[in-house]
Amino acid sequence: MIEKKLFDISIIRPEMRAEDSRLRREGVPAKRLRSIKRGLHTLHTLETMAVNIYKFQITKSANEVNRQLITAMCNEMTHLQDFQVKLFEYGFKPSKLRWMYWIVGFGFGFFSRLMGKKAILKTGIWVERKAVGHYDELLRDIEWDEETKNIIEKDQADEYGHIDRWKALLGIKS
Ligand SMILES: [Fe+2]
Ligand SMILES: [Fe+2]
């Protein structure tokens, strides 16, 4: 089991300052660059899917589930920004196939919404569990720069937070 750092996951959208942006490609060996590219594409497409799941789960009712889904959607939008920025900082482009993940995310979101609150929350838990597993693999297998690694760890902590919030709304103890 990898030791997890503690993050404040009540911060939904961390601050990014003008000086935080870096050009990261230079001096990185080709083989390492290839693995970073593969990892960032995976993360960026996963987050594309995650934004859509929550976006299409939200209904018009003024209730606590919707309030938390909106917050989770915003959080996933920051994750998407995180990895899109890192792709370009490394001189890469987003995957050309990411629209497929947009559609999958729409499907999960839309169809779980039709089935009601329980299905919405259970879908969230199922997808987030898959996501944290992916994050673990990518953290283990790829040699990241420190800043990117820290972002991946913070975003993974957010995904664990989503699981906990959906469980709480379902009345399941963590
Ligand atoms: Fe995410
Ligand atoms: Fe998430």
Side-chain angles (χ1 to χ4, degrees), residues 47 61 130 163:
E47 299 300 344
S61 316
K130 296 267 174 215
I163 294 173

Short mmCIF file of all heavy atoms in Angstrom, two decimals, residues 47 61 130 163:
data_model
loop_
_atom_site.label_atom_id
_atom_site.label_comp_id
_atom_site.label_asym_id
_atom_site.label_seq_id
_atom_site.Cartn_x
_atom_site.Cartn_y
_atom_site.Cartn_z
N GLU A 47 -10.83 12.52 -16.80
CA GLU A 47 -11.47 13.71 -16.21
C GLU A 47 -12.52 14.30 -17.14
O GLU A 47 -13.53 14.84 -16.68
CB GLU A 47 -10.42 14.75 -15.83
CG GLU A 47 -9.40 14.28 -14.78
CD GLU A 47 -10.02 13.87 -13.45
OE1 GLU A 47 -11.18 14.20 -13.19
OE2 GLU A 47 -9.32 13.18 -12.69
N SER A 61 -34.03 19.93 -9.25
CA SER A 61 -34.49 20.02 -7.86
C SER A 61 -33.46 20.70 -6.97
O SER A 61 -32.26 20.45 -7.11
CB SER A 61 -34.74 18.64 -7.27
OG SER A 61 -35.43 17.85 -8.16
N LYS A 130 -12.87 3.06 -9.77
CA LYS A 130 -12.04 2.75 -10.94
C LYS A 130 -10.96 3.84 -11.09
O LYS A 130 -9.81 3.55 -11.37
CB LYS A 130 -12.88 2.74 -12.23
CG LYS A 130 -13.93 1.67 -12.26
CD LYS A 130 -13.38 0.42 -12.94
CE LYS A 130 -14.38 -0.70 -12.84
NZ LYS A 130 -13.80 -2.02 -12.69
N ILE A 163 -15.99 9.59 -3.26
CA ILE A 163 -16.53 8.29 -2.80
C ILE A 163 -17.16 8.46 -1.41
O ILE A 163 -18.29 8.02 -1.17
CB ILE A 163 -15.42 7.21 -2.77
CG1 ILE A 163 -14.92 6.93 -4.19
CG2 ILE A 163 -15.93 5.93 -2.11
CD1 ILE A 163 -13.71 6.00 -4.26
#
